Amino acid sequence: MLRLTLQGMRARWVTFTGSFVALALGVGLIAATGLALAATFEAPHRGPERFAAAPVVVRASDTLRVSTPIGDRTRRLAEPRAVPDGLAAELARLGRTVEDRTFPVSFADASSGGGATDRADGAADGDGAVGHPWSVAAATPYRLTGGRAPATSDEIVVAEAPRAEERADGGVEVGDRVRVVTPDGADDRTVVGTVGATDFENAVFFTDAEAAQLSPRISALVVHADATAVRKAVRATADDAQDDDAAADARSGFEVLTGDERRRADPDPDRDSEALVAVNALLGTAAGITCFVSVFVVASTFAFAVAQRRREFGLLRTAGATPRQLRRTVFAEAVLVAVPASATGCLLGVLGAPRIAAWLVGNGVAPSWFAIGDQTWPLHTAFWTGLCVAMAGVLTSSWRAGRIKPTEALREAAVDSRAMPPSRRLLGALVLLAGLGLLVWSLANDPGEALKRKTYLTRPMLLIVGFALYAPVLVPPLVRLVTWLPARLPGATGLLARANAATGVRRTAAVAAPVLITVALAASLLGTTATINEAKATEAATQTSADYVVAVPGEDGALPAAFVTRARSIPGTAVSASRSTAVTALEEDVALVTSEARAVDPADLAAVSRLPVASGRVADLDDGGIVVNEEWRERTVGQRVRVWLGDGREATLRIVAVLRTGTGDNGVYVTPRNAPGATVDRVDIKLRDGADAAAVDAALHEAGRATGTTVLTKDAWLERSHPRSSESTRLGMLLILGIALLYTGIALVNTLVMATSDRVGDLAVLRLTGTTKPQVLRLVTAEALLVVAVGSLLGAAVAGLNLLGLRGALALLSVRSPLVVPWGSLGSMVAASAVLAVVAAVLPALAALRTRPVEVAGTRE
């Protein structure tokens, strides 16, 4: 039997080569994405960076810790408290102390006489910088690389740009006069020194007095004293103030950091782990989709390879082979192909994983230090997955091959008369019902789930499998639909293409499978993300009735107080200044859930917004109240909820209104008193009836120029804050779709080569009936285009169901937004599939036509 197996493999080397290529590439993709995913499980350990030279650092804890029946639960605070002046004075008795203050800084373009508003993109040079007093530099890695320390209030020291091209493009040098935007406004300052750049922050140093003026709160305290004495002083200060709530917070809310613990005082000490969380989510999704695509294509290819050999199996049955012998032969062939193919795939994965990591780093998706580790479990997983999938791919087909009766063999091999057995119908129905059932279930119970990435990235998979299983039933009517007009045109090409595709249902379904998955994935993922982005922008536009929105780009920062003051003084305007904060609630006494929130004046908010209120009144918001959304467990108006505010203080607030969930951006609202550490980061301005629009516009832009603040109209703000697709989302989709679609494209070519090479005899018969070579090539081309059209229609059906489900979810969430279909991207992918299909079909046909038809026909006989 082994000898017969090897002889069969040698005789049908094209088929087995195609199976080998499909499996090797599939295993390679699984191994590469698995290795990249494994590298995200552990971030490198870093020592202290910002306070590397500080003996002891004292700061308020930035962690909320709540005791629950199952242990302590923690969350990071949105607004960590400052170090009290009294504690700073007490610690100064133990030794020399240095007060560190941290506040946002940016550079406006002063050369043109304007502020940040002169920038076309609405952002100022130096965005993301932070200010510090110069005295704290001695406790940090910063050392002068040029110039001197600041001595007067209008002098600063800046960090050098890390690369020479950045310095030449937009950096500053010693002696430059620049316009610096701080929480107090914009002022011209002189750069008197530079320090080396770091990768954890972009620092700007001021004199100690100027820093204290700009930011009175003490962020951290460097203490040159014994750590034990410092800890005793901190505890004593807290214990002495028994009549003050702040003292109770201080008793459990301060950290004395030494040694490696000083890293906790670094800016965003968990940034490495947090960066890997995003990369892990991206690669996890890519690995899941890659695994699905690989399994789908490999199983389809192996099943098709077995189905191609029905004539051969029929002849073996006629010669006396038993069904068991046929099954053993098929499985032996699968093992002989799968083992070396899986091993080759693992080698390809080892070679490809570093390239994926380099692409992620080069495009800013992963941190610069990200690299593939020495994990081996992804290779084991990929190898055994490939082997198991190959076995599964031939299981059903081998069973059917063994059931062929000798007297039916040749007739069975001629036409696909029974391409859909009952078992496949049942399995396809179950898969389709599962996919549609999950969609209906989510719409009925949690429509917001449809907008989450894990849902809309994975839901199409069940529908793709279901449609692929039912392809033998769906192909004939689709073929008749697509060829209705071509079959009626003069000439036999359209009619022959229709007949060949309809009679070779298995071949048509196998070739259409890669096109199905290409169109379904691309349309579902690109269409869903574009629709969600459009829905978010539409929702934001609906909820904002302001004519101007001035907001700090990014997550951190503050608007200059001078701008807020000047904006409020402009006649004919309604102004709402709000702050970003957070509110944490304990759900079911076991889980801390943090919600993004805004601190607002309710009267001002009502003048510039139209919030989607489900119950209650936002106007009833006061210092003892809170506005929540429908995602909260407690959402009954009048109900009191226990929460922890952004600075960690516990409070019991009354629910005054409940907002609809929407796309997920409808957060929580409190008053400014319940967000004492938050700074104004957004101002909404609305023209009152009868106001002079031109005068208001001129006054606002004058205030922006004077304070270095970007002033945007509502439309410009929406375009900037709600782009059609963020860069991270675009790159993530590019990675996911790029890997999947590259493989499906190769699989399409591979399957077509297998299918066309198996039709050498059919092409010879056409030549013997008088068909010319150009006519044969036109027929092959028409059949390839027909199969691409069938696969595209099946993929479009899958994508349509997904997008309609998304549209239903948005409607249930009370968000009115149109579906966005990426017609351009889909057209390009279908066109690329058509080109690949034609090339993959025509080239083997050209090779086949080199042989004389009589010789091929004689061989067949």
Side-chain angles (χ1 to χ4, degrees), residues 96-123:
R96 183 169 63 89
T97 61
V98 180
E99 298 174 351
D100 180 39
R101 308 171 193 275
T102 302
F103 49 94
V105 174
S106 63
F107 297 152
D109 184 5
S111 61
S112 61
T117 50
D118 294 324
R119 290 281 301 274
D121 60 359

Side-chain angles (χ1 to χ4, degrees), residues 33 60 70-71 104 186 210 238 283 427 474 506 515 521 534 546 574 617 648 722 740 820 822 827 859:
T33 53
I70 60 173
E210 181 67 6
L283 288 175
L427 181 60
L474 298 174
R506 288 190 181 93
V515 182
L521 276 180
E534 185 68 26
R617 288 176 4 111
H722 293 82
V820 180
T859 303

Side-chain angles (χ1 to χ4, degrees), residues 180-447:
V180 181
V181 183
T182 65
D184 270 6
D187 292 292
D188 292 338
R189 300 177 189 268
T190 302
V191 177
V192 297
T194 57
V195 293
T198 63
D199 61 356
F200 57 83
E201 69 176 5
N202 181 17
V204 178
F205 291 97
F206 299 76
T207 63
D208 289 9
E210 181 67 6
Q213 174 68 30
L214 295 173
S215 179
R217 68 190 308 271
I218 302 174
S219 304
L221 199 66
V222 177
V223 184
H224 294 264
D226 179 69
T228 302
V230 172
R231 287 191 176 91
K232 289 182 179 180
V234 169
R235 294 178 187 137
T237 302
D239 292 338
D240 287 344
Q242 298 293 335
D243 57 344
D244 192 347
D245 289 339
D249 291 336
R251 203 160 33 247
S252 60
F254 282 100
E255 298 175 337
V256 179
L257 307 176
T258 59
D260 196 61
E261 290 184 345
R262 291 171 299 173
R263 169 168 168 70
R264 289 155 59 185
D266 289 339
D268 196 7
D270 298 325
R271 67 183 185 280
D272 289 342
S273 299
E274 292 171 354
L276 286 185
V277 168
V279 181
N280 177 272
L282 173 62
L283 288 175
T285 303
I289 291 182
T290 298
C291 186
F292 165 74
V293 172
S294 302
V295 169
F296 181 88
V297 172
V298 168
S300 175
T301 302
F302 270 76
F304 176 57
V306 175
Q308 276 187 309
R309 305 173 60 196
R310 284 171 295 134
R311 184 189 300 274
E312 177 185 334
F313 293 147
L315 292 174
L316 289 173
R317 289 285 286 125
T318 304
T322 65
R324 182 178 181 182
Q325 287 176 322
L326 287 182
R327 295 186 190 109
R328 287 170 56 188
T329 299
V330 171
F331 273 101
E333 292 170 347
V335 170
L336 290 175
V337 172
V339 171
S342 296
T344 303
C346 290
L347 177 61
L348 293 176
V350 171
L351 297 175
R355 288 166 173 77
I356 293 178
W359 185 89
L360 292 171
V361 172
N363 286 277
V365 178
S368 59
W369 46 261
F370 180 72
I372 303 300
D374 56 359
Q375 298 89 346
T376 60
W377 64 263
L379 300 178
H380 293 283
T381 302
F383 179 88
W384 291 108
T385 298
L387 194 59
C388 293
V389 170
M391 295 299 101
V394 301
L395 179 62
T396 304
S397 298
S398 65
W399 184 262
R400 293 195 66 198
R403 294 180 61 187
I404 296 176
K405 296 179 181 180
T407 56
E408 298 177 350
L410 297 179
R411 178 174 62 84
E412 180 71 18
V415 178
D416 293 330
S417 58
R418 291 187 295 119
M420 189 76 171
S423 59
R424 182 164 177 167
R425 291 178 184 271
L426 177 60
L427 181 60
L430 291 176
V431 174
L432 281 177
L433 287 175
L436 295 174
L438 289 175
L439 178 60
V440 173
W441 175 265
S442 66
L443 292 178
N445 293 274
D446 185 10

Side-chain angles (χ1 to χ4, degrees), residues 4 48 77 80 91 99 191 416 432 472 487 510 584 610 709 781 796 798:
L4 181 63
L77 295 174
L91 294 176
E99 298 174 351
V191 177
D416 293 330
L432 281 177
T584 302
R610 298 183 294 264
T709 305
T781 300
V798 173

Side-chain angles (χ1 to χ4, degrees), residues 580-843:
S580 294
T581 184
V583 173
T584 302
L586 183 64
E587 291 191 355
E588 299 181 341
D589 291 331
V590 294
L592 281 179
V593 179
T594 300
S595 301
E596 294 182 358
R598 296 206 69 80
V600 298
D601 181 281
D604 293 342
L605 179 67
V608 299
S609 66
R610 298 183 294 264
L611 297 180
V613 179
S615 59
R617 288 176 4 111
V618 176
D620 293 336
L621 180 64
D622 54 23
D623 292 339
I626 185 173
V627 176
V628 302
N629 57 47
E630 291 177 328
E631 290 185 326
W632 275 52
R633 183 175 179 82
E634 294 85 7
R635 53 178 183 270
T636 302
V637 174
Q639 185 178 4
R640 302 190 72 83
V641 292
R642 177 192 181 202
V643 298
W644 286 264
L645 304 176
D647 62 353
R649 290 184 297 125
E650 183 178 344
T652 300
L653 302 177
R654 181 186 76 263
I655 297 177
V656 299
V658 179
L659 304 181
R660 295 188 181 91
T661 304
T663 60
D665 290 338
N666 297 330
V668 177
Y669 290 86
V670 294
T671 60
R673 184 174 180 181
N674 288 321
T679 55
V680 174
D681 60 0
R682 172 171 167 174
V683 176
D684 294 65
I685 304 108
K686 181 179 180 180
L687 298 177
R688 296 188 184 275
D689 294 339
D692 187 339
V696 170
D697 183 81
L700 279 174
H701 282 86
E702 175 59 30
R705 283 190 291 270
T707 59
T709 305
T710 302
V711 176
L712 298 175
T713 63
K714 174 184 172 179
D715 291 340
W717 169 77
L718 286 171
E719 186 67 25
R720 173 173 143 180
S721 59
H722 293 82
R724 293 299 174 260
S725 181
S726 68
E727 184 66 11
S728 60
T729 299
R730 187 188 69 83
L731 290 173
M733 287 298 170
L734 181 61
L735 174 65
I736 294 170
L737 287 175
I739 293 175
L741 301 184
L742 176 64
Y743 180 50
T744 55
I746 296 173
L748 172 63
V749 173
N750 186 46
T751 308
L752 266 170
V753 170
M754 293 170 59
T756 306
S757 64
D758 195 52
R759 300 182 59 202
V760 174
D762 297 337
L763 300 180
V765 171
L766 287 173
R767 293 282 287 118
L768 289 174
T769 60
T771 307
T772 64
K773 289 184 179 180
Q775 288 175 328
V776 172
L777 294 179
R778 285 199 297 269
L779 174 61
V780 171
T781 300
E783 291 180 2
L785 294 176
L786 173 59
V787 173
V788 170
V790 169
S792 299
L793 289 175
L794 291 174
V798 173
L801 288 174
N802 278 286
L803 292 177
L804 288 176
L806 176 64
R807 183 65 184 87
L810 291 174
L812 292 172
L813 293 170
S814 302
V815 179
R816 296 182 178 180
S817 178
L819 287 176
V820 180
V821 181
W823 295 113
S825 299
L826 290 181
S828 300
M829 291 180 184
V830 172
S833 298
V835 171
L836 289 175
V838 170
V839 172
V842 169
L843 290 182

